[in-house]
Short mmCIF file of all heavy atoms in Angstrom, two decimals:
data_model
loop_
_atom_site.label_atom_id
_atom_site.label_comp_id
_atom_site.label_asym_id
_atom_site.label_seq_id
_atom_site.Cartn_x
_atom_site.Cartn_y
_atom_site.Cartn_z
N LEU A 29 -71.03 126.99 81.75
CA LEU A 29 -71.45 127.89 82.81
C LEU A 29 -72.87 128.40 82.60
O LEU A 29 -73.66 128.48 83.54
CB LEU A 29 -70.48 129.08 82.88
CG LEU A 29 -69.10 128.76 83.47
CD1 LEU A 29 -68.13 129.92 83.22
CD2 LEU A 29 -69.18 128.46 84.95
N ASP A 30 -73.20 128.74 81.36
CA ASP A 30 -74.57 129.18 81.06
C ASP A 30 -75.58 128.10 81.42
O ASP A 30 -76.66 128.39 81.95
CB ASP A 30 -74.71 129.55 79.58
CG ASP A 30 -73.94 130.80 79.21
OD1 ASP A 30 -73.39 131.47 80.11
OD2 ASP A 30 -73.86 131.10 78.00
N ALA A 31 -75.21 126.85 81.15
CA ALA A 31 -76.13 125.74 81.40
C ALA A 31 -76.36 125.53 82.89
O ALA A 31 -77.50 125.30 83.32
CB ALA A 31 -75.58 124.46 80.77
N ILE A 32 -75.29 125.61 83.71
CA ILE A 32 -75.50 125.34 85.13
C ILE A 32 -76.24 126.50 85.82
O ILE A 32 -77.00 126.27 86.76
CB ILE A 32 -74.18 125.01 85.87
CG1 ILE A 32 -73.21 126.18 85.86
CG2 ILE A 32 -73.54 123.76 85.31
CD1 ILE A 32 -72.02 125.95 86.78
N VAL A 33 -76.04 127.74 85.34
CA VAL A 33 -76.80 128.85 85.91
C VAL A 33 -78.28 128.70 85.56
O VAL A 33 -79.16 128.93 86.40
CB VAL A 33 -76.26 130.21 85.43
CG1 VAL A 33 -77.16 131.34 85.91
CG2 VAL A 33 -74.84 130.43 85.94
N GLU A 34 -78.56 128.30 84.33
CA GLU A 34 -79.95 128.08 83.92
C GLU A 34 -80.57 126.95 84.73
O GLU A 34 -81.74 127.01 85.13
CB GLU A 34 -80.00 127.76 82.42
CG GLU A 34 -81.41 127.71 81.84
CD GLU A 34 -82.12 129.06 81.88
OE1 GLU A 34 -81.45 130.10 81.98
OE2 GLU A 34 -83.37 129.05 81.83
N LEU A 35 -79.79 125.91 84.99
CA LEU A 35 -80.26 124.78 85.80
C LEU A 35 -80.61 125.26 87.21
O LEU A 35 -81.63 124.84 87.78
CB LEU A 35 -79.19 123.69 85.87
CG LEU A 35 -79.53 122.42 86.65
CD1 LEU A 35 -80.67 121.67 85.97
CD2 LEU A 35 -78.31 121.52 86.77
N GLN A 36 -79.80 126.14 87.77
CA GLN A 36 -80.07 126.68 89.10
C GLN A 36 -81.39 127.45 89.12
O GLN A 36 -82.17 127.36 90.06
CB GLN A 36 -78.92 127.60 89.53
CG GLN A 36 -79.14 128.29 90.86
CD GLN A 36 -79.16 127.33 92.02
OE1 GLN A 36 -78.19 126.64 92.27
NE2 GLN A 36 -80.28 127.25 92.73
N LYS A 37 -81.65 128.20 88.06
CA LYS A 37 -82.87 129.01 88.00
C LYS A 37 -84.12 128.16 87.87
O LYS A 37 -85.19 128.53 88.35
CB LYS A 37 -82.79 129.99 86.83
CG LYS A 37 -81.73 131.08 86.99
CD LYS A 37 -81.68 131.96 85.75
CE LYS A 37 -80.63 133.06 85.89
NZ LYS A 37 -80.55 133.90 84.67
N LEU A 38 -83.98 127.00 87.20
CA LEU A 38 -85.15 126.18 86.87
C LEU A 38 -85.43 125.08 87.89
O LEU A 38 -86.51 124.49 87.87
CB LEU A 38 -84.97 125.55 85.49
CG LEU A 38 -84.89 126.53 84.30
CD1 LEU A 38 -84.62 125.77 83.02
CD2 LEU A 38 -86.18 127.33 84.18
N THR A 39 -84.48 124.78 88.74
CA THR A 39 -84.63 123.67 89.67
C THR A 39 -84.24 124.08 91.08
O THR A 39 -83.78 125.20 91.32
CB THR A 39 -83.75 122.47 89.26
OG1 THR A 39 -82.37 122.81 89.49
CG2 THR A 39 -83.93 122.12 87.79
N ASN A 40 -84.41 123.15 92.00
CA ASN A 40 -84.00 123.39 93.39
C ASN A 40 -82.66 122.72 93.69
O ASN A 40 -82.31 122.54 94.86
CB ASN A 40 -85.06 122.85 94.35
CG ASN A 40 -86.36 123.64 94.25
OD1 ASN A 40 -86.34 124.86 94.13
ND2 ASN A 40 -87.49 122.95 94.29
N VAL A 41 -81.91 122.37 92.65
CA VAL A 41 -80.61 121.74 92.85
C VAL A 41 -79.66 122.75 93.50
O VAL A 41 -79.61 123.91 93.09
CB VAL A 41 -80.03 121.26 91.50
CG1 VAL A 41 -78.62 120.69 91.70
CG2 VAL A 41 -80.94 120.21 90.89
N ASP A 42 -78.93 122.31 94.51
CA ASP A 42 -77.98 123.19 95.19
C ASP A 42 -76.65 123.17 94.45
O ASP A 42 -75.83 122.26 94.64
CB ASP A 42 -77.79 122.75 96.64
CG ASP A 42 -79.00 123.04 97.49
OD1 ASP A 42 -79.66 124.06 97.23
OD2 ASP A 42 -79.29 122.25 98.40
N ILE A 43 -76.44 124.16 93.60
CA ILE A 43 -75.21 124.25 92.81
C ILE A 43 -74.28 125.26 93.46
O ILE A 43 -74.71 126.34 93.86
CB ILE A 43 -75.51 124.67 91.36
CG1 ILE A 43 -76.40 123.62 90.68
CG2 ILE A 43 -74.22 124.86 90.57
CD1 ILE A 43 -76.88 124.02 89.31
N ARG A 44 -73.02 124.91 93.58
CA ARG A 44 -72.03 125.84 94.14
C ARG A 44 -70.95 126.11 93.09
O ARG A 44 -70.68 125.28 92.24
CB ARG A 44 -71.40 125.23 95.40
CG ARG A 44 -72.36 125.15 96.56
CD ARG A 44 -71.75 124.46 97.77
NE ARG A 44 -71.53 123.04 97.52
CZ ARG A 44 -70.90 122.23 98.36
NH1 ARG A 44 -70.41 122.71 99.50
NH2 ARG A 44 -70.74 120.96 98.08
N ILE A 45 -70.36 127.29 93.18
CA ILE A 45 -69.40 127.71 92.16
C ILE A 45 -68.27 128.48 92.84
O ILE A 45 -68.45 129.09 93.90
CB ILE A 45 -70.10 128.59 91.09
CG1 ILE A 45 -69.20 128.85 89.89
CG2 ILE A 45 -70.58 129.90 91.70
CD1 ILE A 45 -69.91 129.56 88.74
N SER A 46 -67.10 128.46 92.22
CA SER A 46 -65.97 129.23 92.72
C SER A 46 -65.86 130.53 91.92
O SER A 46 -66.04 130.54 90.70
CB SER A 46 -64.68 128.42 92.57
OG SER A 46 -63.57 129.14 93.03
N ILE A 47 -65.56 131.62 92.61
CA ILE A 47 -65.48 132.95 92.01
C ILE A 47 -64.01 133.39 91.90
O ILE A 47 -63.19 133.08 92.76
CB ILE A 47 -66.27 133.97 92.85
CG1 ILE A 47 -67.77 133.66 92.80
CG2 ILE A 47 -66.04 135.40 92.39
CD1 ILE A 47 -68.37 133.74 91.42
N ASP A 48 -63.69 134.13 90.84
CA ASP A 48 -62.35 134.70 90.69
C ASP A 48 -62.20 135.84 91.70
O ASP A 48 -62.74 136.92 91.52
CB ASP A 48 -62.17 135.21 89.26
CG ASP A 48 -60.73 135.61 88.96
OD1 ASP A 48 -59.98 135.86 89.92
OD2 ASP A 48 -60.36 135.67 87.77
N ARG A 49 -61.42 135.58 92.73
CA ARG A 49 -61.28 136.57 93.80
C ARG A 49 -60.29 137.69 93.45
O ARG A 49 -60.23 138.70 94.14
CB ARG A 49 -60.84 135.88 95.10
CG ARG A 49 -59.51 135.16 95.00
CD ARG A 49 -59.17 134.47 96.31
NE ARG A 49 -60.14 133.43 96.64
CZ ARG A 49 -60.22 132.86 97.84
NH1 ARG A 49 -59.41 133.23 98.81
NH2 ARG A 49 -61.11 131.92 98.06
N ASP A 50 -59.52 137.49 92.38
CA ASP A 50 -58.44 138.44 92.05
C ASP A 50 -58.73 139.30 90.82
O ASP A 50 -57.82 139.95 90.32
CB ASP A 50 -57.12 137.68 91.83
CG ASP A 50 -56.67 136.93 93.07
OD1 ASP A 50 -56.96 137.40 94.19
OD2 ASP A 50 -56.03 135.87 92.93
N MET A 51 -59.96 139.29 90.31
CA MET A 51 -60.27 140.11 89.13
C MET A 51 -61.68 140.66 89.25
O MET A 51 -62.60 139.97 89.68
CB MET A 51 -60.11 139.30 87.84
CG MET A 51 -60.22 140.17 86.58
SD MET A 51 -59.64 139.34 85.08
CE MET A 51 -61.11 138.45 84.60
N ILE A 52 -61.84 141.93 88.85
CA ILE A 52 -63.14 142.58 88.87
C ILE A 52 -63.30 143.36 87.56
O ILE A 52 -62.30 143.80 86.96
CB ILE A 52 -63.27 143.50 90.10
CG1 ILE A 52 -64.73 143.78 90.42
CG2 ILE A 52 -62.47 144.78 89.94
CD1 ILE A 52 -64.95 144.28 91.84
N GLY A 53 -64.53 143.50 87.07
CA GLY A 53 -64.75 144.11 85.76
C GLY A 53 -65.63 145.34 85.80
O GLY A 53 -66.23 145.67 86.83
N TYR A 54 -65.73 146.01 84.63
CA TYR A 54 -66.48 147.26 84.47
C TYR A 54 -67.63 147.01 83.50
O TYR A 54 -67.41 146.78 82.30
CB TYR A 54 -65.54 148.35 83.97
CG TYR A 54 -66.16 149.71 83.85
CD1 TYR A 54 -66.82 150.30 84.91
CD2 TYR A 54 -66.07 150.43 82.65
CE1 TYR A 54 -67.38 151.57 84.81
CE2 TYR A 54 -66.61 151.69 82.53
CZ TYR A 54 -67.26 152.26 83.61
OH TYR A 54 -67.82 153.51 83.50
N ALA A 55 -68.86 147.07 83.98
CA ALA A 55 -70.03 146.65 83.21
C ALA A 55 -70.25 147.41 81.89
O ALA A 55 -70.61 146.78 80.88
CB ALA A 55 -71.27 146.74 84.08
N PRO A 56 -70.07 148.74 81.83
CA PRO A 56 -70.32 149.43 80.55
C PRO A 56 -69.44 148.95 79.39
O PRO A 56 -69.76 149.21 78.23
CB PRO A 56 -70.03 150.90 80.88
CG PRO A 56 -70.31 151.01 82.33
CD PRO A 56 -69.84 149.71 82.91
N SER A 57 -68.35 148.25 79.69
CA SER A 57 -67.46 147.78 78.63
C SER A 57 -67.77 146.35 78.18
O SER A 57 -67.13 145.85 77.27
CB SER A 57 -66.00 147.83 79.13
OG SER A 57 -65.79 146.90 80.19
N LEU A 58 -68.76 145.72 78.80
CA LEU A 58 -69.03 144.30 78.51
C LEU A 58 -69.50 144.11 77.08
O LEU A 58 -70.40 144.79 76.61
CB LEU A 58 -70.09 143.78 79.48
CG LEU A 58 -70.46 142.30 79.37
CD1 LEU A 58 -69.26 141.41 79.68
CD2 LEU A 58 -71.63 141.97 80.30
N LEU A 59 -68.88 143.18 76.39
CA LEU A 59 -69.21 142.88 75.00
C LEU A 59 -69.18 141.37 74.81
O LEU A 59 -68.15 140.73 75.00
CB LEU A 59 -68.22 143.54 74.05
CG LEU A 59 -68.49 143.40 72.55
CD1 LEU A 59 -69.80 144.10 72.18
CD2 LEU A 59 -67.34 143.97 71.74
N GLU A 60 -70.32 140.80 74.45
CA GLU A 60 -70.42 139.34 74.30
C GLU A 60 -69.52 138.85 73.17
O GLU A 60 -69.42 139.47 72.11
CB GLU A 60 -71.86 138.95 74.01
CG GLU A 60 -72.09 137.46 73.91
CD GLU A 60 -73.54 137.11 73.62
OE1 GLU A 60 -74.37 138.04 73.56
OE2 GLU A 60 -73.85 135.92 73.47
N SER A 61 -68.85 137.75 73.39
CA SER A 61 -68.01 137.16 72.35
C SER A 61 -68.67 135.89 71.81
O SER A 61 -69.58 135.35 72.43
CB SER A 61 -66.61 136.83 72.89
OG SER A 61 -66.70 135.83 73.89
N ILE A 62 -68.20 135.45 70.66
CA ILE A 62 -68.73 134.23 70.04
C ILE A 62 -67.58 133.29 69.75
O ILE A 62 -66.58 133.68 69.14
CB ILE A 62 -69.48 134.54 68.72
CG1 ILE A 62 -70.70 135.43 68.99
CG2 ILE A 62 -69.91 133.25 68.03
CD1 ILE A 62 -71.41 135.86 67.72
N GLU A 63 -67.69 132.06 70.23
CA GLU A 63 -66.73 131.01 69.90
C GLU A 63 -67.52 129.75 69.64
O GLU A 63 -68.44 129.41 70.40
CB GLU A 63 -65.75 130.78 71.06
CG GLU A 63 -64.79 131.93 71.28
CD GLU A 63 -63.82 131.68 72.42
OE1 GLU A 63 -63.95 130.64 73.09
OE2 GLU A 63 -62.94 132.52 72.63
N TYR A 64 -67.16 129.07 68.58
CA TYR A 64 -67.87 127.84 68.23
C TYR A 64 -67.00 126.63 68.56
O TYR A 64 -65.84 126.57 68.17
CB TYR A 64 -68.21 127.83 66.74
CG TYR A 64 -69.16 128.95 66.34
CD1 TYR A 64 -68.88 129.76 65.25
CD2 TYR A 64 -70.32 129.18 67.06
CE1 TYR A 64 -69.75 130.78 64.89
CE2 TYR A 64 -71.18 130.20 66.71
CZ TYR A 64 -70.91 131.00 65.62
OH TYR A 64 -71.77 132.00 65.28
N GLU A 65 -67.58 125.70 69.31
CA GLU A 65 -66.87 124.47 69.62
C GLU A 65 -67.91 123.39 69.92
O GLU A 65 -69.08 123.69 70.21
CB GLU A 65 -65.94 124.67 70.83
CG GLU A 65 -66.67 125.11 72.09
CD GLU A 65 -65.70 125.45 73.22
OE1 GLU A 65 -64.49 125.44 72.98
OE2 GLU A 65 -66.18 125.71 74.33
N TYR A 66 -67.48 122.17 69.87
CA TYR A 66 -68.39 121.04 70.05
C TYR A 66 -67.74 119.97 70.90
O TYR A 66 -66.52 119.86 70.95
CB TYR A 66 -68.78 120.44 68.69
CG TYR A 66 -69.32 121.46 67.73
CD1 TYR A 66 -68.48 122.06 66.79
CD2 TYR A 66 -70.65 121.86 67.79
CE1 TYR A 66 -68.96 123.02 65.92
CE2 TYR A 66 -71.13 122.83 66.93
CZ TYR A 66 -70.29 123.40 65.99
OH TYR A 66 -70.77 124.36 65.14
N TRP A 67 -68.56 119.22 71.61
CA TRP A 67 -68.05 118.05 72.33
C TRP A 67 -69.10 116.95 72.21
O TRP A 67 -70.27 117.20 71.93
CB TRP A 67 -67.74 118.37 73.79
CG TRP A 67 -68.88 118.94 74.57
CD1 TRP A 67 -69.78 118.27 75.35
CD2 TRP A 67 -69.27 120.31 74.64
NE1 TRP A 67 -70.69 119.13 75.89
CE2 TRP A 67 -70.40 120.38 75.48
CE3 TRP A 67 -68.76 121.49 74.08
CZ2 TRP A 67 -71.04 121.59 75.78
CZ3 TRP A 67 -69.41 122.68 74.38
CH2 TRP A 67 -70.53 122.72 75.21
N TRP A 68 -68.68 115.72 72.43
CA TRP A 68 -69.54 114.57 72.16
C TRP A 68 -69.73 113.73 73.42
O TRP A 68 -68.77 113.42 74.13
CB TRP A 68 -68.93 113.70 71.06
CG TRP A 68 -68.95 114.36 69.73
CD1 TRP A 68 -69.88 114.20 68.73
CD2 TRP A 68 -68.02 115.31 69.22
NE1 TRP A 68 -69.59 115.01 67.65
CE2 TRP A 68 -68.45 115.71 67.92
CE3 TRP A 68 -66.86 115.90 69.73
CZ2 TRP A 68 -67.75 116.62 67.14
CZ3 TRP A 68 -66.18 116.82 68.95
CH2 TRP A 68 -66.63 117.16 67.69
N GLY A 69 -70.95 113.35 73.70
CA GLY A 69 -71.25 112.46 74.80
C GLY A 69 -71.98 111.24 74.26
O GLY A 69 -71.81 110.88 73.10
N PRO A 70 -72.82 110.59 75.07
CA PRO A 70 -73.58 109.44 74.57
C PRO A 70 -74.55 109.87 73.48
O PRO A 70 -74.98 111.03 73.45
CB PRO A 70 -74.32 108.94 75.82
CG PRO A 70 -74.36 110.11 76.74
CD PRO A 70 -73.11 110.88 76.48
N ALA A 71 -74.86 108.99 72.57
CA ALA A 71 -75.80 109.31 71.48
C ALA A 71 -77.10 109.84 72.08
O ALA A 71 -77.74 109.18 72.90
CB ALA A 71 -76.05 108.07 70.64
N TYR A 72 -77.48 111.04 71.66
CA TYR A 72 -78.61 111.72 72.30
C TYR A 72 -79.92 111.41 71.59
O TYR A 72 -79.98 111.23 70.37
CB TYR A 72 -78.38 113.23 72.31
CG TYR A 72 -79.46 113.98 73.06
CD1 TYR A 72 -79.48 114.00 74.44
CD2 TYR A 72 -80.48 114.63 72.36
CE1 TYR A 72 -80.49 114.66 75.13
CE2 TYR A 72 -81.49 115.29 73.05
CZ TYR A 72 -81.48 115.30 74.42
OH TYR A 72 -82.49 115.95 75.10
N SER A 73 -80.98 111.39 72.39
CA SER A 73 -82.33 111.21 71.85
C SER A 73 -83.27 112.04 72.70
O SER A 73 -83.07 112.19 73.92
CB SER A 73 -82.74 109.74 71.91
OG SER A 73 -84.14 109.61 71.70
N ASP A 74 -84.32 112.60 72.08
CA ASP A 74 -85.32 113.34 72.86
C ASP A 74 -86.08 112.41 73.79
O ASP A 74 -86.70 112.86 74.76
CB ASP A 74 -86.30 114.05 71.92
CG ASP A 74 -85.66 115.27 71.25
OD1 ASP A 74 -84.73 115.85 71.87
OD2 ASP A 74 -86.07 115.63 70.15
N ASP A 75 -86.04 111.12 73.49
CA ASP A 75 -86.62 110.12 74.40
C ASP A 75 -85.56 109.80 75.45
O ASP A 75 -84.88 108.77 75.40
CB ASP A 75 -87.01 108.87 73.60
CG ASP A 75 -87.77 107.87 74.46
OD1 ASP A 75 -88.07 108.19 75.63
OD2 ASP A 75 -88.04 106.75 73.96
#
């Protein structure tokens, strides 16, 4: 999700997203969490 929002900010790509219509939150309580995980795609190169 962080990646596609950043992509939207940096490009003119028309990205659409679905929102949770049944839940709302309280901003003063927001606390970032940390989870480590990995996934693998094609062998990456800066080229």
Side-chain angles (χ1 to χ4, degrees):
L29 287 168
D30 291 353
I32 64 170
V33 173
E34 188 65 20
L35 182 65
Q36 176 66 61
K37 293 177 180 178
L38 297 176
T39 71
N40 293 320
V41 176
D42 288 326
I43 298 173
R44 291 176 292 174
I45 190 173
S46 179
I47 293 298
D48 189 339
R49 60 182 63 193
D50 298 329
M51 188 166 85
I52 201 161
Y54 184 53
S57 66
L58 183 63
L59 184 64
E60 183 180 357
S61 64
I62 297 175
E63 291 180 356
Y64 297 131
E65 59 186 6
Y66 306 96
W67 56 94
W68 291 264
Y72 184 77
S73 166
D74 286 333
D75 187 5

